[in-house]
């Protein structure tokens, strides 16, 4: 079953557009949603939550269309926005007491278990929490109302390596039962190397790739060689950089000439992102 | 919708704004003052402070993340505004009973606070609501222009109404003269005011919902 099914999303702004965005997330998996700043990650996430009115396209969550079942589905969604704070001068306790009234499946026992687990003191004010703690608090809220789909916008950005590691461990634990699915956007690709099952890569409002993590990486190759060799492959390269040793460029694995003597390695997610961003720079 | 109202009352609206009507109501004890100003303090103080709070605390995003409809978000916010308006008017009305007892022989230049006057106050807040609410929901966070326009309109109404009360013998008779002893007349002006208040607020609600549906939560 699909936890999230996005089909042909389009949204036009005066200076930016989301074009034909489609991707699917299987139930019980973690999908990393990557792209440079301004690539369209947050806009896509906001359209999933119906915060942005899309021009066309359909979004299904747990098999139901969000446009028709918004209230019902929001009971099943937990979300966290990394950089937005609400009522920061209020205590956790106060905010929870207000929030829990909205959810019919709220479970106090689960909530207190997570508070303990995340070492959150409910008498603290939101403003007193570190960024990592804030994300954990959002997770505690989401999990206590029985969210099946967690949509997290840059939950790890701005966190120190220890907190990030901790958070990624939590993500992996959450999906063990196969009930919870996570979509999280980030531009820190090392997080995804560690815990994502699927990767969706967005660039300039368009989905470049959406597939299993290793499959995605294997579908590209990083070529390097001398400047003279560049001419052999230049037209097949997605983009390339020239340095004093020659060139390095990204290419679709299928475009590689088997007889070529160029050195080819599997790129990291970071490198895929960088070379795609470079490609746009060249043609824009 | 109930949960959203409770959220605003417990989280969004500072308790001070529930005390303010009582203090402002005390201004009714100033003999022969321009009593229109008393409910106007709601527009001057409570509205900009409250909506500034909603904006700075990202209330819009918070509410949208909850499992509620956009219609309910608007409906609950208007309910909160109306609750506060009613507290202001009610507190002022209660104080005005004492005004008459304290100064039984006062000659009023500005409207004495009889029932009919409160009818005019309801109309004044009706005008405030229809402008403020409908303008505010174009963005659901920019409250400056909406506050300025709606408060100006409310003051203009109060000014014109007061001018008519002084200049027109007919209006003067209703609000200052023999009309004040006619309970039926005073009550019907009050009821008419309340009806206009309800009607304008409902129209404001419909416009606000229509506009808020198009608002992108950024």
């Amino acid at each position: 079953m699909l936890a999230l099914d996005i089909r042909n999303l389009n949204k036009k702004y005066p200076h930016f557009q989301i074009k034909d965005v489609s991707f699917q997330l299987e139930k019980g998996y973690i999908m990393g949603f990557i792209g440079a700043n301004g690539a369209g990650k947050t806009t896509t996430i906001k359209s999933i939550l119906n915060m942005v009115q899309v021009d066309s396209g359909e979004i299904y969550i747990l098999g139901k269309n969000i446009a028709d079942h918004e209230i019902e589905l929001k009971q099943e969604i937990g979300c966290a926005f990394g950089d937005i704070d609400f009522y920061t001068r209020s205590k956790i306790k106060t905010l929870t007491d207000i929030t829990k009234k909205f959810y019919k499946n709220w479970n106090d026992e689960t909530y207190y278990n997570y508070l303990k687990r995340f070492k959150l003191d409910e008498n603290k004010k939101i403003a007193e929490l570190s960024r990592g703690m804030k994300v954990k608090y959002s997770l505690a809220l989401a999990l206590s109302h029985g969210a099946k789909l967690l949509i997290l916008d840059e939950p790890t950005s701005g966190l120190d390596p220890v907190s990030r590691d901790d958070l990624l461990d939590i993500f992996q634990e959450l999906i063990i039962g196969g009930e919870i699915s996570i979509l999280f956007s980030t531009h820190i690709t090392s997080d995804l190397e560690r815990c994502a099952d699927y990767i969706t890569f967005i660039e300039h409002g368009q989905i470049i790739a959406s597939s299993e993590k290793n499959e995605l990486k294997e579908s590209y190759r990083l070529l390097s060689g001398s400047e003279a060799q560049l001419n052999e492959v230049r037209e097949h390269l997605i983009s390339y950089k020239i340095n004093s040793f020659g060139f390095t460029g990204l290419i679709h694995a299928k475009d590689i000439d088997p007889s070529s003597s160029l050195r080819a390695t599997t790129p990291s997610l970071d490198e895929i992102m960088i070379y795609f961003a470079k490609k746009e720079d060249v043609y824009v | 919708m109930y949960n959203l109202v409770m959220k605003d009352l417990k989280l969004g609206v500072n308790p001070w704004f529930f005390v303010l009507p009582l203090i402002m109501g005390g201004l009714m004890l100033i003999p022969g003052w321009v009593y229109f100003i008393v409910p106007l303090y709601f527009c001057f103080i409570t509205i900009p402070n409250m909506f500034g709070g909603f904006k700075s605390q990202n209330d819009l995003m918070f509410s949208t993340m909850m499992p509620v409809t956009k219609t309910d978000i608007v409906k609950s916010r208007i309910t909160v505004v109306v609750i506060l308006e009613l507290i202001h008017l009610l507190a002022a009305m209660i104080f005005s009973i004492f005004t008459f007892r304290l100064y039984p022989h006062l000659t009023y230049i500005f409207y004495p606070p009889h029932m009919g006057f409160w009818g005019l106050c309801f109309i004044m807040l009706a005008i405030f609501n229809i402008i403020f609410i409908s303008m505010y929901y174009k963005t659901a966070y920019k409250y400056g222009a909406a506050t300025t326009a709606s408060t100006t309109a409310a003051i203009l109404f109060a000014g014109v109404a007061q001018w008519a009360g002084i200049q027109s013998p007919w209006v003067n008779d209703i609000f200052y003269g023999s009309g004040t002893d006619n309970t039926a007349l005073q009550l019907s002006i009050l009821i008419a005011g309340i009806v206009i208040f309800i009607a304008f607020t409902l129209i404001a609600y419909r416009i606000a919902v229509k506009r808020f549906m198009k608002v992108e939560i950024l």
Side-chain angles (χ1 to χ4, degrees):
Chain A
M1 188 186 175
L2 291 176
L4 180 65
D5 182 3
I6 296 183
R7 300 180 195 164
N8 314 101
L9 221 57
N10 283 289
K11 167 81 188 172
K12 210 169 174 166
Y13 289 107
H15 303 290
F16 176 70
Q17 60 173 329
I18 294 275
K19 244 182 23 226
D20 216 19
V21 165
S22 301
F23 61 89
Q24 286 76 33
L25 169 61
E26 279 284 340
K27 201 173 158 193
Y29 289 95
I30 300 179
M31 176 180 275
F33 191 32
I34 59 168
N37 294 329
K41 299 190 294 286
T42 304
T43 309
T44 307
I45 284 183
K46 285 192 171 167
S47 4
I48 298 173
L49 297 168
N50 220 356
M51 290 179 176
V52 165
Q53 312 289 305
V54 292
D55 299 335
S56 64
E58 285 175 322
I59 294 161
Y60 290 87
I61 293 173
L62 304 162
K64 287 177 184 161
N65 193 325
I66 184 98
D68 304 329
H69 301 89
E70 184 180 349
I71 306 295
E72 186 189 336
L73 287 172
K74 277 191 173 170
Q75 293 276 354
E76 316 249 10
I77 301 175
C79 38
F81 290 87
D83 55 350
I84 298 166
D85 295 328
F86 312 106
Y87 293 104
T88 52
R89 301 288 161 191
S90 302
K91 283 182 182 171
I92 286 190
K93 198 175 156 51
T94 319
L95 209 55
T96 303
D97 283 344
I98 302 282
T99 310
K100 71 180 185 187
K101 300 263 167 47
F102 287 90
Y103 295 99
K104 51 177 196 255
N105 292 328
W106 181 269
N107 187 327
D108 262 334
E109 203 185 321
T110 316
Y111 174 69
Y112 284 107
N113 281 339
Y114 276 110
L115 280 196
K116 221 159 129 197
R117 159 97 213 272
F118 296 158
K119 298 192 183 72
L120 285 163
D121 173 3
E122 62 169 353
N123 289 312
K124 271 199 173 177
K125 291 182 175 165
I126 306 298
E128 293 174 303
L129 303 179
S130 65
R131 281 188 67 110
M133 287 301 214
K134 280 181 197 160
V135 176
K136 283 180 186 170
Y137 175 55
S138 302
L139 281 181
L141 286 179
L143 298 167
S144 309
H145 74 248
K148 302 277 189 300
L149 174 65
L150 300 181
I151 297 177
L152 314 170
D153 191 21
E154 315 234 348
T156 53
S157 62
L159 297 192
D160 64 80
V162 180
S163 313
R164 257 172 41 214
D165 186 72
D166 187 26
L167 209 57
L168 297 178
D169 280 343
I170 294 168
F171 290 169
Q172 279 185 312
E173 265 172 52
L174 290 177
I175 59 155
I176 286 174
E179 274 298 305
I180 296 174
S181 323
I182 302 177
L183 172 75
F184 83 100
S185 77
T186 182
H187 52 258
I188 308 170
T189 48
S190 60
D191 289 351
L192 303 174
E193 306 264 6
R194 258 205 53 192
C195 85
D197 303 297
Y198 294 92
I199 302 281
T200 296
F201 177 29
I202 189 166
E203 183 65 42
H204 286 265
Q206 280 176 292
I207 300 291
I208 303 284
S210 181
S211 61
E212 198 273 321
K213 181 171 61 186
N214 291 325
E215 201 178 293
L216 175 84
K217 289 202 281 182
E218 291 301 332
S219 62
Y220 296 99
R221 286 285 183 276
L222 201 60
L223 290 184
S224 44
S226 67
E227 251 180 273
Q229 289 171 303
L230 177 60
N231 289 331
E232 293 172 26
V233 287
R234 194 196 294 263
E235 61 197 45
H236 291 301
L237 290 177
I238 292 159
S239 72
Y240 59 88
K241 284 182 191 180
I242 294 175
N243 55 36
S244 48
F245 301 105
F247 82 100
T248 317
L250 191 73
I251 190 168
H252 283 283
K254 60 178 169 41
D255 292 336
I256 288 190
D257 179 0
S259 60
S260 162
S261 60
L262 288 165
R263 202 159 58 84
T265 53
T266 307
S268 66
L269 292 171
D270 247 350
E271 285 161 334
I272 298 178
M273 244 172 88
I274 291 167
Y275 282 94
F276 264 99
K278 207 170 153 52
K279 170 192 171 189
E280 299 292 341
D281 290 344
V282 171
Y283 293 116
V284 166
Chain B
M1 146 73 184
Y2 173 77
N3 288 329
L4 281 169
V5 173
M6 290 319 284
K7 187 261 300 165
D8 275 4
L9 296 184
K10 287 183 181 169
L11 212 57
V13 184
N14 191 295
W16 163 245
F17 295 121
F18 296 104
V19 182
L20 189 73
L22 306 177
I23 295 170
M24 292 300 123
L27 294 173
M28 292 303 298
L29 300 179
I30 301 172
W33 199 41
V34 192
Y35 295 127
F36 267 129
I37 296 180
V38 176
L40 272 176
Y41 274 115
F42 170 76
C43 317
F44 297 157
I45 301 174
T46 309
I47 284 287
N49 277 296
M50 190 167 94
F51 281 84
F54 290 137
K55 183 179 173 182
S56 62
Q57 297 301 329
N58 284 312
D59 180 84
L60 185 55
M61 181 73 101
F62 181 79
S63 302
T64 329
M65 277 162 63
M66 297 294 131
V68 290
T69 56
K70 275 186 143 181
T71 316
D72 273 349
I73 293 178
V74 177
K75 205 190 281 174
S76 63
R77 182 57 45 82
I78 294 176
T79 307
V80 171
V81 168
V82 169
I83 288 174
L84 284 166
E85 284 171 340
L86 293 182
I87 299 177
H88 268 272
L89 286 178
L90 220 63
M93 282 178 191
I94 292 167
F95 273 101
S96 68
I97 298 169
F98 296 102
T99 315
F100 285 123
R101 302 223 158 190
L102 280 170
Y103 323 111
H105 306 297
L106 197 72
T107 311
Y108 286 92
I109 297 172
F110 304 109
Y111 281 128
H114 292 289
M115 271 192 282
F117 167 74
W118 296 116
L120 294 179
C121 287
F122 269 106
I123 299 173
M124 181 176 74
L125 290 181
I127 293 170
F128 174 82
N129 283 356
I130 201 165
I131 298 176
F132 178 78
I133 293 168
S134 52
M135 271 181 84
Y136 175 73
Y137 276 103
K138 273 184 189 169
T139 60
Y141 71 91
K142 283 185 186 171
Y143 61 91
T147 309
T148 312
S150 54
T151 309
T152 309
I155 294 171
L156 277 177
F157 169 79
V160 170
Q162 186 57 75
W163 178 81
I166 294 168
Q167 293 296 317
S168 152
W170 178 68
V171 180
N172 191 280
D173 192 52
I174 295 173
F175 291 96
Y176 294 80
S178 59
T180 55
D181 296 327
N182 185 345
T183 315
L185 174 67
Q186 291 293 319
L187 196 66
S188 43
I189 299 171
L190 175 62
I191 292 171
I194 294 174
V195 170
I196 291 172
F197 177 79
I198 295 171
F200 276 35
T201 308
L202 286 177
I203 296 169
Y205 162 71
R206 296 195 61 163
I207 299 171
V209 167
K210 218 180 250 174
R211 292 187 169 169
F212 187 49
M213 287 299 176
K214 292 185 198 136
V215 168
E216 313 247 296
I217 320 284
L218 301 172

